[in-house]
Amino acid sequence: MVKKEATHVRLNPMNRRNGKGMSIPEFVSPKAAYTAETFHRTFPDYQPTPLVGLPGLATKLGIRQLLVKDESHRFGLNAFKVLGASYAIARYLCEKLGIPIEEADFAYLRSEEVKRQLGELTFVTATDGNHGRAVAWAAAQLGQKAVVYLPKGSASQRVEAIRKTGAHAHVINGNYDEAVRLSDQMARERGWQVIQDTAWEGYTDIPAWIMQGYTTMAAEALQQIAEQFPGETPTHLFLQAGVGSTAAAVLGYVVARNPSQYPFTMIVEPHAADCFYRSAAGDGRALPAMGDLRTIMAGLACGEPSPLAWEILRDYADAFASCPDSVAAEGHAQPRASCRG
């Protein structure tokens, strides 16, 4: 009999719940989220993605309601990542044009007038999941080029999906964090622009814009909950973390909306890349996960936390979970049955 690996949960001793020196970054505030969502709504194919109930799984767990934001419908790309990539590229183009994002829309930024003013730009990024495809798609939609680096072992389907957008995709002989460093190096050498969802010293504006883009998803979800369950608020929030940008954007926005009463929030990672789980046991510093980061949880195999994300998750997440791949495999097999009730 094969013994299953356990999920490890660590409560966060640094949490600032109940007003202990709370300070939410402006880029995930309700005002910032409104700006991002307003821009996303100018895309011809924009529609809020469904908030799906899983009554069967809720009954099995002994809870009243379990809801999942189904991002498989987002712009035909099956992933929320495009919210961050498209908004960050749009913000970058607006800065080059010298106009605020509030004065731009999708149609204008892809116009011949803008192309004449800015010329042809190349955006570069590293990805272990859908972020690279999102950057490639957004660049193509806005009439620009993209180059994407993927870590060793990336699925061929992911590489081909990126190439189908017209972007160049290259699999390197290294892990995700090495791909990030390579994209930054190539950008400096060739005059490209990095669009990365993790931050480092001297590179924070674009990661913050990406996180601001992700708040559209959170704003949609809270609006859907208000419409479907009037007068009720969620009690628990589970967010997956790679470099942490998505989790931090959603949690930051939720806290900013109601600092005195936000859901108990758990951040979930794979065993092989549980950098936030490790960081929560330290002295407040972000700690990396080492090794080849191999996991079936595609998109979460990231060893180094984004500093912008860590500051939010350190202060406002309630707990961190490090999960074996078997949890993801079981979860992948469950939803269809769970949706039937």
Side-chain angles (χ1 to χ4, degrees):
M1 181 176 178
V2 178
K3 185 179 180 181
K4 284 189 175 181
E5 286 188 83
T7 294
H8 306 301
V9 176
R10 177 170 285 149
L11 294 177
N12 180 15
M14 298 168 282
N15 183 279
R16 293 187 178 184
R17 187 179 283 277
N18 300 322
K20 297 182 291 185
M22 284 186 157
S23 178
I24 304 297
E26 173 58 30
F27 58 82
V28 292
S29 69
K31 180 180 178 182
Y34 176 79
T35 300
E37 186 177 5
T38 299
F39 174 74
H40 287 136
R41 287 180 179 275
T42 69
F43 281 64
D45 297 330
Y46 172 80
Q47 289 289 337
T49 53
L51 189 67
V52 180
L54 303 181
L57 188 54
T59 299
K60 182 178 179 180
L61 295 171
I63 60 177
R64 189 157 64 87
Q65 189 69 249
L66 179 63
L67 303 170
V68 175
K69 193 79 162 92
D70 183 359
E71 288 296 303
S72 66
H73 299 267
R74 187 70 71 182
F75 292 147
L77 294 177
N78 304 327
F80 65 86
K81 290 288 188 177
V82 69
L83 293 173
S86 63
Y87 187 73
I89 290 176
R91 284 288 300 262
Y92 177 79
L93 295 178
C94 285
E95 288 222 336
K96 297 277 284 186
L97 293 165
I99 61 173
I101 186 71
E102 291 85 353
E103 294 181 9
D105 60 19
F106 174 79
Y108 173 67
L109 292 180
R110 67 177 298 177
S111 67
E112 286 301 319
E113 177 187 347
V114 168
K115 193 68 176 290
R116 283 194 300 271
Q117 288 186 62
L118 300 183
E120 191 170 71
L121 304 173
T122 297
F123 298 102
V124 60
T125 194
T127 188
D128 189 52
N130 292 306
H131 171 73
R133 186 182 178 201
V135 170
W137 180 87
Q141 292 291 309
L142 295 169
Q144 306 296 346
K145 290 186 174 182
V147 176
V148 180
Y149 294 104
L150 300 96
K152 178 176 62 176
S154 295
S156 59
Q157 305 97 297
R158 290 182 177 274
V159 179
E160 288 308 311
I162 291 168
R163 287 174 178 161
K164 282 181 180 178
T165 67
H168 295 280
H170 309 280
V171 178
I172 71 165
N173 187 31
N175 64 23
Y176 168 80
D177 299 302
E178 290 169 316
V180 170
R181 286 187 276 274
L182 178 60
S183 68
D184 181 50
Q185 175 188 333
M186 298 303 291
R188 286 185 277 105
E189 290 179 0
R190 303 193 179 187
W192 300 342
Q193 178 57 51
V194 178
I195 303 292
Q196 200 62 54
D197 53 352
T198 189
W200 55 83
E201 187 176 351
Y203 182 76
T204 57
D205 286 350
I206 286 175
W209 294 339
I210 289 174
M211 292 173 70
Q212 185 178 351
Y214 293 156
T215 62
T216 290
M217 177 173 55
E220 288 176 0
L222 291 186
Q223 179 62 34
Q224 289 164 322
I225 290 172
E227 292 170 354
Q228 296 176 32
F229 309 97
E232 298 190 33
T233 56
T235 59
H236 294 73
L237 182 61
F238 294 85
L239 300 166
Q240 78 273 18
V243 298
S245 294
T246 308
V250 173
L251 178 55
Y253 173 77
V254 170
V255 174
R257 281 278 301 262
N258 190 354
S260 64
Q261 188 179 6
Y262 63 93
F264 181 96
T265 302
M266 180 175 289
I267 308 304
V268 182
E269 302 171 280
H271 276 340
D274 56 356
C275 50
F276 289 98
Y277 174 83
R278 294 168 186 263
S279 298
D283 57 4
R285 295 178 299 166
L287 302 176
M290 310 303 289
D292 64 9
L293 312 177
R294 188 170 299 174
T295 172
I296 67 169
M297 301 183 209
L300 303 186
C302 308
E304 299 178 13
S306 169
L308 292 181
W310 172 237
E311 289 177 4
I312 294 174
L313 299 182
R314 176 197 63 205
D315 291 350
Y316 304 110
D318 294 283
F320 298 86
S322 176
C323 305
D325 279 357
S326 59
V327 171
E330 184 177 356
H332 183 72
Q334 289 296 319
R336 288 185 181 276
S338 298
C339 285
R340 290 198 294 267

PDB file of all heavy atoms in Angstrom, residues 136-155:
ATOM      1  N   ALA A 136       1.886  36.972 -25.168  1.00  0.00           N
ATOM      2  CA  ALA A 136       1.951  36.798 -26.619  1.00  0.00           C
ATOM      3  C   ALA A 136       0.639  37.215 -27.280  1.00  0.00           C
ATOM      4  O   ALA A 136       0.632  37.909 -28.309  1.00  0.00           O
ATOM      5  CB  ALA A 136       2.279  35.341 -26.941  1.00  0.00           C
ATOM      6  N   TRP A 137      -0.488  36.790 -26.696  1.00  0.00           N
ATOM      7  CA  TRP A 137      -1.798  37.124 -27.250  1.00  0.00           C
ATOM      8  C   TRP A 137      -2.044  38.630 -27.191  1.00  0.00           C
ATOM      9  O   TRP A 137      -2.496  39.236 -28.161  1.00  0.00           O
ATOM     10  CB  TRP A 137      -2.884  36.383 -26.476  1.00  0.00           C
ATOM     11  CG  TRP A 137      -4.279  36.641 -26.957  1.00  0.00           C
ATOM     12  CD1 TRP A 137      -4.950  35.977 -27.947  1.00  0.00           C
ATOM     13  CD2 TRP A 137      -5.187  37.645 -26.458  1.00  0.00           C
ATOM     14  NE1 TRP A 137      -6.216  36.492 -28.094  1.00  0.00           N
ATOM     15  CE2 TRP A 137      -6.394  37.516 -27.200  1.00  0.00           C
ATOM     16  CE3 TRP A 137      -5.106  38.611 -25.462  1.00  0.00           C
ATOM     17  CZ2 TRP A 137      -7.501  38.333 -26.961  1.00  0.00           C
ATOM     18  CZ3 TRP A 137      -6.207  39.436 -25.238  1.00  0.00           C
ATOM     19  CH2 TRP A 137      -7.387  39.283 -25.982  1.00  0.00           C
ATOM     20  N   ALA A 138      -1.757  39.239 -26.035  1.00  0.00           N
ATOM     21  CA  ALA A 138      -2.003  40.670 -25.872  1.00  0.00           C
ATOM     22  C   ALA A 138      -1.137  41.484 -26.827  1.00  0.00           C
ATOM     23  O   ALA A 138      -1.602  42.457 -27.435  1.00  0.00           O
ATOM     24  CB  ALA A 138      -1.744  41.087 -24.423  1.00  0.00           C
ATOM     25  N   ALA A 139       0.134  41.087 -26.960  1.00  0.00           N
ATOM     26  CA  ALA A 139       1.025  41.793 -27.890  1.00  0.00           C
ATOM     27  C   ALA A 139       0.486  41.703 -29.311  1.00  0.00           C
ATOM     28  O   ALA A 139       0.444  42.705 -30.046  1.00  0.00           O
ATOM     29  CB  ALA A 139       2.430  41.216 -27.813  1.00  0.00           C
ATOM     30  N   ALA A 140       0.057  40.507 -29.724  1.00  0.00           N
ATOM     31  CA  ALA A 140      -0.472  40.323 -31.077  1.00  0.00           C
ATOM     32  C   ALA A 140      -1.747  41.142 -31.287  1.00  0.00           C
ATOM     33  O   ALA A 140      -1.924  41.770 -32.337  1.00  0.00           O
ATOM     34  CB  ALA A 140      -0.745  38.844 -31.329  1.00  0.00           C
ATOM     35  N   GLN A 141      -2.623  41.142 -30.297  1.00  0.00           N
ATOM     36  CA  GLN A 141      -3.867  41.900 -30.406  1.00  0.00           C
ATOM     37  C   GLN A 141      -3.610  43.389 -30.559  1.00  0.00           C
ATOM     38  O   GLN A 141      -4.370  44.096 -31.229  1.00  0.00           O
ATOM     39  CB  GLN A 141      -4.733  41.662 -29.161  1.00  0.00           C
ATOM     40  CG  GLN A 141      -5.290  40.266 -29.036  1.00  0.00           C
ATOM     41  CD  GLN A 141      -6.341  39.955 -30.080  1.00  0.00           C
ATOM     42  OE1 GLN A 141      -7.291  40.714 -30.259  1.00  0.00           O
ATOM     43  NE2 GLN A 141      -6.179  38.858 -30.790  1.00  0.00           N
ATOM     44  N   LEU A 142      -2.520  43.859 -29.958  1.00  0.00           N
ATOM     45  CA  LEU A 142      -2.194  45.285 -30.010  1.00  0.00           C
ATOM     46  C   LEU A 142      -1.157  45.614 -31.077  1.00  0.00           C
ATOM     47  O   LEU A 142      -0.575  46.696 -31.095  1.00  0.00           O
ATOM     48  CB  LEU A 142      -1.716  45.751 -28.632  1.00  0.00           C
ATOM     49  CG  LEU A 142      -2.805  45.683 -27.547  1.00  0.00           C
ATOM     50  CD1 LEU A 142      -2.215  45.907 -26.166  1.00  0.00           C
ATOM     51  CD2 LEU A 142      -3.920  46.691 -27.820  1.00  0.00           C
ATOM     52  N   GLY A 143      -0.921  44.647 -31.970  1.00  0.00           N
ATOM     53  CA  GLY A 143      -0.071  44.896 -33.126  1.00  0.00           C
ATOM     54  C   GLY A 143       1.414  44.916 -32.843  1.00  0.00           C
ATOM     55  O   GLY A 143       2.190  45.530 -33.593  1.00  0.00           O
ATOM     56  N   GLN A 144       1.858  44.234 -31.769  1.00  0.00           N
ATOM     57  CA  GLN A 144       3.266  44.220 -31.399  1.00  0.00           C
ATOM     58  C   GLN A 144       3.806  42.782 -31.376  1.00  0.00           C
ATOM     59  O   GLN A 144       3.061  41.825 -31.570  1.00  0.00           O
ATOM     60  CB  GLN A 144       3.459  44.886 -30.035  1.00  0.00           C
ATOM     61  CG  GLN A 144       2.889  46.282 -29.924  1.00  0.00           C
ATOM     62  CD  GLN A 144       3.561  47.302 -30.852  1.00  0.00           C
ATOM     63  OE1 GLN A 144       4.629  47.035 -31.414  1.00  0.00           O
ATOM     64  NE2 GLN A 144       2.938  48.466 -31.019  1.00  0.00           N
ATOM     65  N   LYS A 145       5.098  42.632 -31.126  1.00  0.00           N
ATOM     66  CA  LYS A 145       5.744  41.319 -31.128  1.00  0.00           C
ATOM     67  C   LYS A 145       5.989  40.825 -29.704  1.00  0.00           C
ATOM     68  O   LYS A 145       6.027  41.613 -28.755  1.00  0.00           O
ATOM     69  CB  LYS A 145       7.069  41.388 -31.885  1.00  0.00           C
ATOM     70  CG  LYS A 145       6.925  41.575 -33.387  1.00  0.00           C
ATOM     71  CD  LYS A 145       8.283  41.492 -34.065  1.00  0.00           C
ATOM     72  CE  LYS A 145       8.136  41.524 -35.579  1.00  0.00           C
ATOM     73  NZ  LYS A 145       9.463  41.403 -36.261  1.00  0.00           N
ATOM     74  N   ALA A 146       6.223  39.510 -29.579  1.00  0.00           N
ATOM     75  CA  ALA A 146       6.515  38.937 -28.268  1.00  0.00           C
ATOM     76  C   ALA A 146       7.502  37.792 -28.395  1.00  0.00           C
ATOM     77  O   ALA A 146       7.509  37.056 -29.392  1.00  0.00           O
ATOM     78  CB  ALA A 146       5.233  38.439 -27.596  1.00  0.00           C
ATOM     79  N   VAL A 147       8.339  37.653 -27.369  1.00  0.00           N
ATOM     80  CA  VAL A 147       9.279  36.538 -27.248  1.00  0.00           C
ATOM     81  C   VAL A 147       9.058  35.936 -25.858  1.00  0.00           C
ATOM     82  O   VAL A 147       9.001  36.674 -24.863  1.00  0.00           O
ATOM     83  CB  VAL A 147      10.748  36.990 -27.397  1.00  0.00           C
ATOM     84  CG1 VAL A 147      11.699  35.815 -27.169  1.00  0.00           C
ATOM     85  CG2 VAL A 147      10.972  37.613 -28.769  1.00  0.00           C
ATOM     86  N   VAL A 148       8.936  34.615 -25.788  1.00  0.00           N
ATOM     87  CA  VAL A 148       8.606  33.942 -24.525  1.00  0.00           C
ATOM     88  C   VAL A 148       9.618  32.835 -24.253  1.00  0.00           C
ATOM     89  O   VAL A 148       9.893  32.004 -25.136  1.00  0.00           O
ATOM     90  CB  VAL A 148       7.189  33.343 -24.575  1.00  0.00           C
ATOM     91  CG1 VAL A 148       6.858  32.642 -23.246  1.00  0.00           C
ATOM     92  CG2 VAL A 148       6.163  34.424 -24.887  1.00  0.00           C
ATOM     93  N   TYR A 149      10.160  32.818 -23.028  1.00  0.00           N
ATOM     94  CA  TYR A 149      11.079  31.761 -22.602  1.00  0.00           C
ATOM     95  C   TYR A 149      10.365  30.859 -21.594  1.00  0.00           C
ATOM     96  O   TYR A 149       9.704  31.343 -20.670  1.00  0.00           O
ATOM     97  CB  TYR A 149      12.340  32.361 -21.978  1.00  0.00           C
ATOM     98  CG  TYR A 149      13.178  33.130 -22.973  1.00  0.00           C
ATOM     99  CD1 TYR A 149      13.186  34.522 -22.986  1.00  0.00           C
ATOM    100  CD2 TYR A 149      13.952  32.450 -23.920  1.00  0.00           C
ATOM    101  CE1 TYR A 149      13.945  35.226 -23.909  1.00  0.00           C
ATOM    102  CE2 TYR A 149      14.711  33.151 -24.845  1.00  0.00           C
ATOM    103  CZ  TYR A 149      14.701  34.532 -24.842  1.00  0.00           C
ATOM    104  OH  TYR A 149      15.441  35.219 -25.766  1.00  0.00           O
ATOM    105  N   LEU A 150      10.504  29.540 -21.788  1.00  0.00           N
ATOM    106  CA  LEU A 150       9.875  28.561 -20.910  1.00  0.00           C
ATOM    107  C   LEU A 150      10.941  27.671 -20.284  1.00  0.00           C
ATOM    108  O   LEU A 150      11.989  27.423 -20.884  1.00  0.00           O
ATOM    109  CB  LEU A 150       8.888  27.687 -21.678  1.00  0.00           C
ATOM    110  CG  LEU A 150       7.718  28.400 -22.356  1.00  0.00           C
ATOM    111  CD1 LEU A 150       8.040  28.675 -23.817  1.00  0.00           C
ATOM    112  CD2 LEU A 150       6.443  27.567 -22.255  1.00  0.00           C
ATOM    113  N   PRO A 151      10.685  27.152 -19.070  1.00  0.00           N
ATOM    114  CA  PRO A 151      11.673  26.292 -18.410  1.00  0.00           C
ATOM    115  C   PRO A 151      11.733  24.894 -19.013  1.00  0.00           C
ATOM    116  O   PRO A 151      10.817  24.456 -19.709  1.00  0.00           O
ATOM    117  CB  PRO A 151      11.170  26.239 -16.971  1.00  0.00           C
ATOM    118  CG  PRO A 151       9.707  26.474 -17.079  1.00  0.00           C
ATOM    119  CD  PRO A 151       9.523  27.430 -18.219  1.00  0.00           C
ATOM    120  N   LYS A 152      12.814  24.213 -18.727  1.00  0.00           N
ATOM    121  CA  LYS A 152      13.000  22.833 -19.155  1.00  0.00           C
ATOM    122  C   LYS A 152      11.807  21.978 -18.714  1.00  0.00           C
ATOM    123  O   LYS A 152      11.315  22.117 -17.604  1.00  0.00           O
ATOM    124  CB  LYS A 152      14.288  22.278 -18.536  1.00  0.00           C
ATOM    125  CG  LYS A 152      14.605  20.835 -18.855  1.00  0.00           C
ATOM    126  CD  LYS A 152      15.942  20.436 -18.271  1.00  0.00           C
ATOM    127  CE  LYS A 152      15.956  20.535 -16.761  1.00  0.00           C
ATOM    128  NZ  LYS A 152      17.235  20.059 -16.168  1.00  0.00           N
ATOM    129  N   GLY A 153      11.354  21.114 -19.597  1.00  0.00           N
ATOM    130  CA  GLY A 153      10.244  20.236 -19.266  1.00  0.00           C
ATOM    131  C   GLY A 153       8.875  20.810 -19.573  1.00  0.00           C
ATOM    132  O   GLY A 153       7.861  20.151 -19.316  1.00  0.00           O
ATOM    133  N   SER A 154       8.810  22.003 -20.143  1.00  0.00           N
ATOM    134  CA  SER A 154       7.512  22.592 -20.486  1.00  0.00           C
ATOM    135  C   SER A 154       6.798  21.739 -21.523  1.00  0.00           C
ATOM    136  O   SER A 154       7.411  21.243 -22.472  1.00  0.00           O
ATOM    137  CB  SER A 154       7.695  24.013 -21.033  1.00  0.00           C
ATOM    138  OG  SER A 154       8.204  24.873 -20.043  1.00  0.00           O
ATOM    139  N   ALA A 155       5.502  21.573 -21.350  1.00  0.00           N
ATOM    140  CA  ALA A 155       4.714  20.746 -22.267  1.00  0.00           C
ATOM    141  C   ALA A 155       4.730  21.336 -23.668  1.00  0.00           C
ATOM    142  O   ALA A 155       4.614  22.554 -23.847  1.00  0.00           O
ATOM    143  CB  ALA A 155       3.283  20.632 -21.756  1.00  0.00           C
TER     144      ALA A 155
END
